[in-house]
Amino acid sequence: MRLVLLVLGLVASFSVVAQSARESGSQLRGAANGLLATALETRVLGLQTAADDPNVVPPVSPVAPAVSSFYQQRGYQPVWTEASRLKELINALESLTEDGLDPEDYSINFLRQMHELLDAGRRPLVSELVEWELMATNAYLRALYHLFNGKVDPAGLDPQWNFELHELAPELVASLMNDGVNSRQIAKSFAQTRPQHPAYTSLQAGLRRYREFAAQGGWFALPAGPTLKPCMVDPQVAQLRQRLQVTGEYQPVAEAERQEALAKCLAANAKSSASALAQVNTSEATSAAASSEAGYALDPAVSTELGAQLENGITSASSSAASSVQPVDPDEMFDEYLVAAVKQFQRDQYLEDDGAVGPATRAALNISAHARVEQIRVNLDRARWLLHNIPEQLLLVDIAGFKVTYYKGGREVWKSRVQVGMSYRTTPIFKSEVNYITLNPTWTVPPTILRKDILPKLRKDLSYLREHKIRVLDSSGNQLDPATIDWSRPGNITLRQDAGDDAALGKAVIRFPNPYAVYLHDTPHQKLFHKSQRAFSSGCIRVERALELVELLLEETPGWDEAAIGKTLATGKTRNVTLAKRVPIMLAYWTVDAISESKVAFKPDIYARDAAVLSALNQRVSQPLIQINEES
């Protein structure tokens, strides 16, 4: 009898699913009076009631309202009792690997078992059929939520996080789910939920590429050794060439071109060695003896064989001298083509592109393909946090990339280098709106900098205040004589630096409301912008060419063109200028950049945040355990 009831319920279910999706819920419910639909309605309503009750322990999944809405829209008709439809869901869930997500988080093995039963014409027990249905729906729904907002909760990892994740209303997501079910295009529902941003597509392409590297065995690590420099001859150079050929920075060169590059390096090495030898031969005997005793060495770029011959009397780079040198393996010569490949690699790793392989470049080269895959997965989840509904006008600070970009009308209109907070005084991650700009700013020393940086200096020498044009103020703003203060216990004082060419904040400050006292500003520390990694500040963002950005931000503020800004700066007086229209600003952190449709670049994880995100991303989502039993 139980089997008969099940068959009757399934027949009723399949007939209802075949009806037009436009039929009203009441019509669907009228046709769905089988046992399965009734049991499903009871179970779903129970879930919704439990979700509304805060005293229920353990708490019901927050997706329960969406599950309820999904089945209400269907008149509580089951979805996954048809093998072909369940297979669509399985295929879509398997595709989540392209997003850096793990299908195991979405009951994939259980669903595969259920599909095998359905495909073989068998069914689970009636008492289990509803739980099976809900598990499949829950997997579908969870995948949509993870694609939209990320699997990892960023607020749980960063107390400074204030980005609002865009909500998927239960009715909206239920409609999206039903559209995918009724049109038999569940994969399309997933595609519509992913961030619709080119950067996300690029990260997906990067993930595929580095997974291919990993599947092919990745690459070997360069062993410890000396810094490899242009025109150096060393067995490790051949290994370096092979390593960069794997990831594509080095492309094979025609033999004639390689021989020409080899000859250039041999001549350069010979000239360098001859010059060094000449200096030894023309020095005073005592100096030469002293150099010998001190272990005088030729230029390290010279090969051992070439150097030995030069020491024995070869002092020119003539063709006859070069011909007497033992042949050099072109693979072991750090030629101009390999230099270009190293520089490209360094640029893609946010390293100084000097063409030499020192400790930092060697460390980046030795990061495994698997580690790069995990790094991209982490940043795909970050992309799901941030890339929905990006405003067309935006000031974006890329903290790990040490750069700021201004977008207007959805286009990049300006970009510059920045300096950000040190690892122990990190620049926070948050969003706000630029509301005003200070020209010729004074600088009020923050309490942390006062306590940790300036007070120790003042206890040694009070002239620091005069040299940096810093005044001491009491709580009422009255100026105090520094000599009258006990600097071991200064009490409630404020240090304020006057505006000027050498002021800490430069000529302008770009301000936006936030609880961290963080802002963008000009700086006299211009030389630091030439460093490849620029975590030098105490948390605020120092901007190169800051006055250009000020001019752009004030474009829509009447009376504040370039001439007016320049005139105000010339007075030396502090002036606040309120923007006529606030500009959204985001301070964000990610460690993989989308360079093109198929290329990504990797940044150093300057604040060591990737590991926590990866751990949360790899944590298995708990699933209710349902034992599959077949009816006899």
Side-chain angles (χ1 to χ4, degrees):
M1 182 63 181
R2 183 176 58 185
L3 181 59
V4 172
L5 290 174
L6 174 61
V7 171
L8 288 174
L10 289 175
V11 169
S13 170
F14 292 141
S15 65
V16 171
V17 171
Q19 296 181 44
S20 169
R22 296 187 178 89
E23 291 186 2
S24 68
S26 61
Q27 290 174 313
L28 284 171
R29 287 198 62 186
N33 52 8
L35 175 62
L36 183 56
T38 302
L40 184 59
E41 179 177 6
T42 301
R43 184 76 170 86
V44 169
L45 291 176
L47 284 174
Q48 182 60 55
T49 301
D52 294 336
D53 186 352
N55 297 317
V56 172
V57 179
V60 176
S61 169
V63 302
V67 173
S68 178
S69 183
F70 173 66
Y71 283 106
Q72 285 176 3
Q73 292 180 23
R74 298 189 56 77
Y76 296 97
Q77 292 299 301
V79 181
W80 312 112
T81 50
E82 182 182 342
S84 60
R85 182 172 281 162
L86 185 58
K87 182 61 175 176
E88 290 173 22
L89 176 61
I90 291 170
N91 291 341
L93 292 172
E94 289 174 339
S95 75
L96 295 178
T97 57
E98 299 176 7
D99 300 274
L101 297 170
D102 187 350
E104 290 294 332
D105 283 333
Y106 310 96
S107 311
I108 195 71
N109 286 329
F110 178 85
L111 298 180
R112 287 172 182 149
Q113 286 180 282
M114 295 311 308
H115 180 263
E116 289 178 5
L117 289 177
L118 282 175
D119 205 39
R122 299 192 295 273
R123 295 291 185 272
L125 298 171
V126 174
S127 60
E128 297 170 346
L129 196 56
V130 170
E131 297 301 324
W132 159 35
E133 172 79 19
L134 291 175
M135 179 173 277
T137 298
N138 188 53
Y140 185 10
L141 183 59
R142 179 183 286 121
L144 290 173
Y145 273 101
H146 287 177
L147 286 173
F148 191 74
N149 275 336
K151 175 185 173 182
V152 178
D153 176 16
L157 299 179
D158 185 359
Q160 298 171 338
W161 179 269
N162 80 332
F163 291 91
E164 294 177 3
L165 297 180
H166 295 277
E167 293 294 333
L168 274 174
E171 297 78 11
L172 177 62
V173 71
S175 296
L176 180 65
M177 292 170 67
N178 271 312
D179 287 345
V181 167
N182 294 331
S183 65
R184 296 186 178 274
Q185 295 186 31
I186 294 174
K188 185 177 180 181
S189 299
F190 284 6
Q192 292 172 336
T193 309
R194 293 181 177 98
Q196 306 299 303
H197 195 285
Y200 193 81
T201 304
S202 178
L203 288 173
Q204 286 183 302
L207 182 62
R208 288 193 296 271
R209 183 169 183 244
Y210 279 84
R211 275 181 169 157
E212 288 174 4
F213 289 144
Q216 294 165 6
W219 45 78
F220 53 84
L222 289 178
T227 295
L228 303 178
K229 298 180 179 179
C231 282
M232 190 173 184
V233 179
D234 192 287
Q236 280 201 11
V237 172
Q239 296 175 306
L240 173 64
R241 195 183 307 274
Q242 294 171 12
R243 163 65 181 86
L244 292 177
Q245 194 163 343
V246 172
T247 45
E249 290 86 4
Y250 181 83
Q251 299 293 328
V253 179
E255 186 61 27
E257 294 174 334
R258 289 192 65 186
Q259 290 298 328
E260 182 180 353
L262 175 63
K264 288 180 182 178
C265 276
L266 286 173
N269 285 346
K271 183 177 180 180
S272 175
S273 296
S275 175
L277 186 60
Q279 291 179 20
V280 173
N281 291 336
T282 57
S283 65
E284 294 181 359
T286 54
S287 297
S291 296
S292 176
E293 292 174 3
Y296 174 82
L298 293 172
D299 189 298
V302 183
S303 67
T304 302
E305 181 66 26
L306 179 60
Q309 295 190 45
L310 287 168
E311 286 181 322
N312 288 329
I314 300 175
T315 59
S316 72
S318 64
S319 58
S320 60
S323 65
S324 68
V325 178
Q326 293 295 321
V328 174
D329 184 348
D331 282 339
E332 295 183 357
M333 176 67 78
F334 201 150
D335 60 29
E336 60 187 286
Y337 300 104
L338 185 54
V339 171
V342 169
K343 287 184 175 182
Q344 182 61 59
F345 176 84
Q346 290 170 326
R347 286 191 290 271
D348 288 346
Q349 311 294 319
Y350 284 74
L351 300 170
E352 184 178 354
D353 58 343
D354 58 3
V357 179
T361 300
R362 190 183 296 267
L365 285 163
N366 288 346
I367 295 175
S368 70
H370 174 72
R372 291 307 193 193
V373 166
E374 299 295 75
Q375 189 174 354
I376 296 172
R377 290 182 60 228
V378 164
N379 285 274
L380 275 165
D381 216 51
R382 286 187 174 126
R384 292 187 284 268
W385 300 346
L386 298 175
L387 290 184
H388 295 285
N389 302 322
I390 297 294
E392 290 195 338
Q393 186 174 14
L394 176 68
L395 190 58
L396 177 63
V397 179
D398 174 3
I399 295 173
F402 309 108
K403 60 189 175 185
V404 58
T405 307
Y406 183 41
Y407 296 91
K408 200 168 184 180
R411 288 188 312 108
E412 178 187 307
V413 298
W414 184 85
K415 182 164 63 176
S416 183
R417 295 179 290 193
V418 300
Q419 300 168 36
V420 300
M422 295 173 279
S423 60
Y424 56 92
R425 293 183 187 172
T426 61
T427 297
I429 300 170
F430 65 97
K431 66 177 181 178
S432 185
E433 290 183 325
V434 177
N435 57 345
Y436 74 99
I437 290 169
T438 304
L439 301 175
N440 294 320
T442 61
W443 178 49
T444 299
V445 179
T448 300
I449 296 178
L450 172 62
R451 184 176 64 257
K452 294 185 176 181
D453 298 340
I454 296 184
L455 281 180
K457 296 176 181 177
L458 295 181
R459 288 163 184 157
K460 294 179 180 179
D461 186 1
L462 284 180
S463 65
Y464 179 90
L465 294 171
R466 183 182 64 258
E467 292 169 358
H468 292 83
K469 298 181 180 179
I470 296 176
R471 291 178 290 117
V472 184
L473 308 176
D474 64 16
S475 58
S476 299
N478 301 309
Q479 187 166 343
L480 303 175
D481 181 355
T484 64
I485 297 173
D486 179 3
W487 289 103
S488 63
R489 294 183 177 181
N492 187 18
I493 63 166
T494 298
L495 298 189
R496 183 168 297 156
Q497 184 182 45
D498 294 335
D501 292 339
D502 296 325
L505 304 185
K507 294 287 190 180
V509 175
I510 297 165
R511 302 188 187 274
F512 36 92
N514 67 88
Y516 316 110
V518 166
Y519 40 78
L520 275 63
H521 65 91
D522 188 19
T523 177
H525 303 291
Q526 294 294 312
K527 290 184 179 180
L528 295 177
F529 287 116
H530 298 293
K531 300 288 185 179
S532 59
Q533 296 184 32
R534 298 182 289 276
F536 301 123
S537 82
S538 294
C540 289
I541 300 97
R542 303 170 182 169
V543 182
E544 187 180 34
R545 309 190 330 271
L547 292 180
E548 293 179 10
L549 178 57
V550 166
E551 184 180 340
L552 288 169
L553 293 172
L554 291 176
E555 274 184 334
E556 299 182 43
T557 303
W560 285 100
D561 58 11
E562 181 181 5
I565 295 170
K567 185 177 179 180
T568 300
L569 290 174
T571 68
K573 295 181 179 180
T574 302
R575 176 76 181 272
N576 290 327
V577 183
T578 301
L579 272 64
K581 178 184 176 183
R582 292 190 172 198
V583 175
I585 182 171
M586 288 175 54
L587 282 67
Y589 187 92
W590 63 92
T591 59
V592 179
D593 251 351
I595 301 300
S596 67
E597 291 183 358
S598 59
K599 183 178 180 181
V600 296
F602 299 96
K603 310 171 192 174
D605 182 12
I606 59 172
Y607 295 161
R609 291 180 171 171
D610 281 4
V613 180
L614 181 61
S615 176
L617 190 61
N618 287 338
Q619 186 173 349
R620 177 71 64 231
V621 175
S622 61
Q623 296 283 1
L625 180 62
I626 300 178
Q627 183 68 37
I628 301 174
N629 296 317
E630 297 179 48
E631 287 193 332
S632 57

